[in-house]
Amino acid sequence: MSRLVWDTASERFFEQGVDRCVLYLNGADGVAWSGVESLSESSSGSEPKPYYLDGLKILNLSGFSDFEASITVLSFPKEFLPCCGISEIHNGLYASGQKKVSFGLSYRTLIGGLLNMETGHYKLHLIYNALATENQVLNLSNGKNTSGLRRTFNLTTMPASITGFKPTAHLIVDTRYADPLKIQSLENILYGTEALAATLPTTDSLITLFGS
């Protein structure tokens, strides 16, 4: 046994960005999503629920949380339009106010360190059964300091079943601790190869991959 040590430089990590966002629609190949500026994660429903007996707190149980997110983009692929409730009638002709399509996402958050800003490590995030809501689009007249229109979509999810655990819509793979060969296999699935299209693996197939 040894005494605990704080602030070891080689163990001080932080997350420093988001990249390689991919959109997945049911029955379609994954599509690279360029133009993602930021992606924030949150949850709802996880507030502790206290129980009292004779005026004394006897339990403080954690609630089941639902994954939510907010994504701000400068652009999005054409394939995302049905997720916004916009359907194509004919080439170039669209109708808004249609039924929205659910989708999946994958993206990376990069991991930096105190000794090296670019450690080469990252986390892979896999999002299942998401629905997008956009509250407002503000179109401004061009001026001297015109900048690109940023659009923000709030995402809610439906948890996917996962054997042995509670359903979840958010799985995370940390390359600092995972087998590099399994990371490569997963990225071949997520991003595609010369022979295979990009797809979002099911939760159980992902568990099988990393447990094999």
Side-chain angles (χ1 to χ4, degrees), residues 140-159:
L140 298 176
S141 175
N142 286 337
K144 291 183 178 180
N145 299 316
T146 299
S147 60
L149 174 66
R150 287 167 172 78
R151 303 180 68 166
T152 298
F153 299 92
N154 297 319
L155 309 183
T156 56
T157 59
M158 174 67 70

PDB file of all heavy atoms in Angstrom, residues 140-159:
ATOM      1  N   LEU A 140     -30.994  37.093 -40.313  1.00  0.00           N
ATOM      2  CA  LEU A 140     -30.665  38.515 -40.266  1.00  0.00           C
ATOM      3  C   LEU A 140     -30.214  39.011 -41.631  1.00  0.00           C
ATOM      4  O   LEU A 140     -29.636  38.266 -42.429  1.00  0.00           O
ATOM      5  CB  LEU A 140     -29.550  38.764 -39.248  1.00  0.00           C
ATOM      6  CG  LEU A 140     -29.865  38.410 -37.791  1.00  0.00           C
ATOM      7  CD1 LEU A 140     -28.622  38.620 -36.925  1.00  0.00           C
ATOM      8  CD2 LEU A 140     -31.021  39.244 -37.271  1.00  0.00           C
ATOM      9  N   SER A 141     -30.471  40.281 -41.894  1.00  0.00           N
ATOM     10  CA  SER A 141     -30.001  40.902 -43.124  1.00  0.00           C
ATOM     11  C   SER A 141     -28.475  40.978 -43.118  1.00  0.00           C
ATOM     12  O   SER A 141     -27.845  41.158 -42.068  1.00  0.00           O
ATOM     13  CB  SER A 141     -30.588  42.309 -43.258  1.00  0.00           C
ATOM     14  OG  SER A 141     -30.064  42.971 -44.382  1.00  0.00           O
ATOM     15  N   ASN A 142     -27.859  40.813 -44.292  1.00  0.00           N
ATOM     16  CA  ASN A 142     -26.405  40.904 -44.392  1.00  0.00           C
ATOM     17  C   ASN A 142     -25.941  42.318 -44.056  1.00  0.00           C
ATOM     18  O   ASN A 142     -26.591  43.305 -44.382  1.00  0.00           O
ATOM     19  CB  ASN A 142     -25.933  40.546 -45.804  1.00  0.00           C
ATOM     20  CG  ASN A 142     -26.019  39.056 -46.056  1.00  0.00           C
ATOM     21  OD1 ASN A 142     -26.009  38.261 -45.113  1.00  0.00           O
ATOM     22  ND2 ASN A 142     -26.094  38.670 -47.316  1.00  0.00           N
ATOM     23  N   GLY A 143     -24.784  42.383 -43.394  1.00  0.00           N
ATOM     24  CA  GLY A 143     -24.196  43.667 -43.058  1.00  0.00           C
ATOM     25  C   GLY A 143     -22.685  43.573 -43.122  1.00  0.00           C
ATOM     26  O   GLY A 143     -22.119  42.612 -43.633  1.00  0.00           O
ATOM     27  N   LYS A 144     -22.011  44.571 -42.565  1.00  0.00           N
ATOM     28  CA  LYS A 144     -20.545  44.596 -42.617  1.00  0.00           C
ATOM     29  C   LYS A 144     -19.945  43.441 -41.816  1.00  0.00           C
ATOM     30  O   LYS A 144     -18.885  42.930 -42.157  1.00  0.00           O
ATOM     31  CB  LYS A 144     -20.023  45.929 -42.069  1.00  0.00           C
ATOM     32  CG  LYS A 144     -20.331  47.130 -42.953  1.00  0.00           C
ATOM     33  CD  LYS A 144     -19.719  48.391 -42.385  1.00  0.00           C
ATOM     34  CE  LYS A 144     -19.996  49.585 -43.289  1.00  0.00           C
ATOM     35  NZ  LYS A 144     -19.404  50.839 -42.746  1.00  0.00           N
ATOM     36  N   ASN A 145     -20.578  43.062 -40.731  1.00  0.00           N
ATOM     37  CA  ASN A 145     -20.027  42.025 -39.862  1.00  0.00           C
ATOM     38  C   ASN A 145     -20.880  40.758 -39.905  1.00  0.00           C
ATOM     39  O   ASN A 145     -21.160  40.132 -38.890  1.00  0.00           O
ATOM     40  CB  ASN A 145     -19.927  42.539 -38.418  1.00  0.00           C
ATOM     41  CG  ASN A 145     -19.025  43.745 -38.305  1.00  0.00           C
ATOM     42  OD1 ASN A 145     -17.935  43.769 -38.890  1.00  0.00           O
ATOM     43  ND2 ASN A 145     -19.466  44.753 -37.563  1.00  0.00           N
ATOM     44  N   THR A 146     -21.318  40.385 -41.082  1.00  0.00           N
ATOM     45  CA  THR A 146     -22.168  39.211 -41.229  1.00  0.00           C
ATOM     46  C   THR A 146     -21.405  37.942 -40.864  1.00  0.00           C
ATOM     47  O   THR A 146     -20.242  37.759 -41.261  1.00  0.00           O
ATOM     48  CB  THR A 146     -22.674  39.089 -42.677  1.00  0.00           C
ATOM     49  OG1 THR A 146     -23.441  40.255 -42.978  1.00  0.00           O
ATOM     50  CG2 THR A 146     -23.546  37.860 -42.841  1.00  0.00           C
ATOM     51  N   SER A 147     -22.041  37.076 -40.092  1.00  0.00           N
ATOM     52  CA  SER A 147     -21.451  35.787 -39.742  1.00  0.00           C
ATOM     53  C   SER A 147     -22.445  34.695 -40.108  1.00  0.00           C
ATOM     54  O   SER A 147     -23.627  34.947 -40.324  1.00  0.00           O
ATOM     55  CB  SER A 147     -21.116  35.722 -38.251  1.00  0.00           C
ATOM     56  OG  SER A 147     -22.279  35.903 -37.466  1.00  0.00           O
ATOM     57  N   GLY A 148     -21.958  33.479 -40.180  1.00  0.00           N
ATOM     58  CA  GLY A 148     -22.806  32.357 -40.544  1.00  0.00           C
ATOM     59  C   GLY A 148     -23.929  32.130 -39.540  1.00  0.00           C
ATOM     60  O   GLY A 148     -23.771  32.380 -38.339  1.00  0.00           O
ATOM     61  N   LEU A 149     -25.066  31.675 -40.020  1.00  0.00           N
ATOM     62  CA  LEU A 149     -26.215  31.401 -39.162  1.00  0.00           C
ATOM     63  C   LEU A 149     -25.951  30.153 -38.337  1.00  0.00           C
ATOM     64  O   LEU A 149     -25.662  29.086 -38.890  1.00  0.00           O
ATOM     65  CB  LEU A 149     -27.472  31.212 -40.011  1.00  0.00           C
ATOM     66  CG  LEU A 149     -28.744  30.783 -39.264  1.00  0.00           C
ATOM     67  CD1 LEU A 149     -29.204  31.879 -38.316  1.00  0.00           C
ATOM     68  CD2 LEU A 149     -29.834  30.436 -40.262  1.00  0.00           C
ATOM     69  N   ARG A 150     -26.039  30.276 -37.038  1.00  0.00           N
ATOM     70  CA  ARG A 150     -25.891  29.138 -36.142  1.00  0.00           C
ATOM     71  C   ARG A 150     -27.278  28.629 -35.752  1.00  0.00           C
ATOM     72  O   ARG A 150     -28.139  29.419 -35.392  1.00  0.00           O
ATOM     73  CB  ARG A 150     -25.083  29.517 -34.904  1.00  0.00           C
ATOM     74  CG  ARG A 150     -23.611  29.706 -35.195  1.00  0.00           C
ATOM     75  CD  ARG A 150     -22.888  30.369 -34.050  1.00  0.00           C
ATOM     76  NE  ARG A 150     -21.457  30.387 -34.264  1.00  0.00           N
ATOM     77  CZ  ARG A 150     -20.811  31.217 -35.062  1.00  0.00           C
ATOM     78  NH1 ARG A 150     -21.505  32.114 -35.759  1.00  0.00           N
ATOM     79  NH2 ARG A 150     -19.507  31.170 -35.199  1.00  0.00           N
ATOM     80  N   ARG A 151     -27.456  27.325 -35.826  1.00  0.00           N
ATOM     81  CA  ARG A 151     -28.737  26.719 -35.485  1.00  0.00           C
ATOM     82  C   ARG A 151     -28.514  25.739 -34.350  1.00  0.00           C
ATOM     83  O   ARG A 151     -27.550  24.964 -34.352  1.00  0.00           O
ATOM     84  CB  ARG A 151     -29.342  26.040 -36.705  1.00  0.00           C
ATOM     85  CG  ARG A 151     -29.513  26.998 -37.875  1.00  0.00           C
ATOM     86  CD  ARG A 151     -30.101  26.351 -39.091  1.00  0.00           C
ATOM     87  NE  ARG A 151     -31.501  25.953 -38.880  1.00  0.00           N
ATOM     88  CZ  ARG A 151     -32.312  25.616 -39.878  1.00  0.00           C
ATOM     89  NH1 ARG A 151     -31.873  25.626 -41.123  1.00  0.00           N
ATOM     90  NH2 ARG A 151     -33.564  25.274 -39.630  1.00  0.00           N
ATOM     91  N   THR A 152     -29.407  25.792 -33.373  1.00  0.00           N
ATOM     92  CA  THR A 152     -29.282  24.933 -32.196  1.00  0.00           C
ATOM     93  C   THR A 152     -30.486  24.000 -32.122  1.00  0.00           C
ATOM     94  O   THR A 152     -31.631  24.447 -32.209  1.00  0.00           O
ATOM     95  CB  THR A 152     -29.191  25.773 -30.909  1.00  0.00           C
ATOM     96  OG1 THR A 152     -28.019  26.591 -30.966  1.00  0.00           O
ATOM     97  CG2 THR A 152     -29.099  24.871 -29.689  1.00  0.00           C
ATOM     98  N   PHE A 153     -30.199  22.719 -31.963  1.00  0.00           N
ATOM     99  CA  PHE A 153     -31.238  21.701 -31.858  1.00  0.00           C
ATOM    100  C   PHE A 153     -31.149  21.041 -30.484  1.00  0.00           C
ATOM    101  O   PHE A 153     -30.068  20.628 -30.051  1.00  0.00           O
ATOM    102  CB  PHE A 153     -31.059  20.640 -32.949  1.00  0.00           C
ATOM    103  CG  PHE A 153     -31.154  21.175 -34.341  1.00  0.00           C
ATOM    104  CD1 PHE A 153     -30.011  21.586 -35.021  1.00  0.00           C
ATOM    105  CD2 PHE A 153     -32.378  21.271 -34.987  1.00  0.00           C
ATOM    106  CE1 PHE A 153     -30.092  22.086 -36.306  1.00  0.00           C
ATOM    107  CE2 PHE A 153     -32.472  21.779 -36.274  1.00  0.00           C
ATOM    108  CZ  PHE A 153     -31.324  22.179 -36.933  1.00  0.00           C
ATOM    109  N   ASN A 154     -32.286  20.976 -29.808  1.00  0.00           N
ATOM    110  CA  ASN A 154     -32.363  20.252 -28.548  1.00  0.00           C
ATOM    111  C   ASN A 154     -32.771  18.811 -28.827  1.00  0.00           C
ATOM    112  O   ASN A 154     -33.735  18.565 -29.565  1.00  0.00           O
ATOM    113  CB  ASN A 154     -33.371  20.922 -27.607  1.00  0.00           C
ATOM    114  CG  ASN A 154     -32.958  22.327 -27.240  1.00  0.00           C
ATOM    115  OD1 ASN A 154     -31.789  22.596 -26.998  1.00  0.00           O
ATOM    116  ND2 ASN A 154     -33.913  23.248 -27.215  1.00  0.00           N
ATOM    117  N   LEU A 155     -32.043  17.876 -28.256  1.00  0.00           N
ATOM    118  CA  LEU A 155     -32.272  16.467 -28.518  1.00  0.00           C
ATOM    119  C   LEU A 155     -32.825  15.771 -27.284  1.00  0.00           C
ATOM    120  O   LEU A 155     -32.297  15.942 -26.177  1.00  0.00           O
ATOM    121  CB  LEU A 155     -30.965  15.771 -28.940  1.00  0.00           C
ATOM    122  CG  LEU A 155     -30.149  16.412 -30.056  1.00  0.00           C
ATOM    123  CD1 LEU A 155     -28.947  15.544 -30.387  1.00  0.00           C
ATOM    124  CD2 LEU A 155     -30.999  16.651 -31.292  1.00  0.00           C
ATOM    125  N   THR A 156     -33.897  15.031 -27.463  1.00  0.00           N
ATOM    126  CA  THR A 156     -34.398  14.127 -26.433  1.00  0.00           C
ATOM    127  C   THR A 156     -34.295  12.711 -26.989  1.00  0.00           C
ATOM    128  O   THR A 156     -34.247  12.511 -28.210  1.00  0.00           O
ATOM    129  CB  THR A 156     -35.850  14.436 -26.056  1.00  0.00           C
ATOM    130  OG1 THR A 156     -36.672  14.383 -27.240  1.00  0.00           O
ATOM    131  CG2 THR A 156     -35.967  15.830 -25.428  1.00  0.00           C
ATOM    132  N   THR A 157     -34.263  11.721 -26.107  1.00  0.00           N
ATOM    133  CA  THR A 157     -34.000  10.357 -26.556  1.00  0.00           C
ATOM    134  C   THR A 157     -34.958   9.357 -25.916  1.00  0.00           C
ATOM    135  O   THR A 157     -35.566   9.632 -24.874  1.00  0.00           O
ATOM    136  CB  THR A 157     -32.566   9.937 -26.209  1.00  0.00           C
ATOM    137  OG1 THR A 157     -32.392  10.023 -24.780  1.00  0.00           O
ATOM    138  CG2 THR A 157     -31.549  10.817 -26.904  1.00  0.00           C
ATOM    139  N   MET A 158     -35.058   8.213 -26.562  1.00  0.00           N
ATOM    140  CA  MET A 158     -35.754   7.056 -26.019  1.00  0.00           C
ATOM    141  C   MET A 158     -34.695   5.993 -25.721  1.00  0.00           C
ATOM    142  O   MET A 158     -33.991   5.552 -26.634  1.00  0.00           O
ATOM    143  CB  MET A 158     -36.780   6.508 -27.017  1.00  0.00           C
ATOM    144  CG  MET A 158     -37.452   5.217 -26.575  1.00  0.00           C
ATOM    145  SD  MET A 158     -38.507   5.431 -25.127  1.00  0.00           S
ATOM    146  CE  MET A 158     -39.843   6.393 -25.852  1.00  0.00           C
ATOM    147  N   PRO A 159     -34.544   5.569 -24.453  1.00  0.00           N
ATOM    148  CA  PRO A 159     -33.497   4.605 -24.116  1.00  0.00           C
ATOM    149  C   PRO A 159     -33.643   3.303 -24.896  1.00  0.00           C
ATOM    150  O   PRO A 159     -34.745   2.827 -25.142  1.00  0.00           O
ATOM    151  CB  PRO A 159     -33.689   4.383 -22.613  1.00  0.00           C
ATOM    152  CG  PRO A 159     -34.395   5.615 -22.134  1.00  0.00           C
ATOM    153  CD  PRO A 159     -35.284   6.033 -23.267  1.00  0.00           C
TER     154      PRO A 159
END
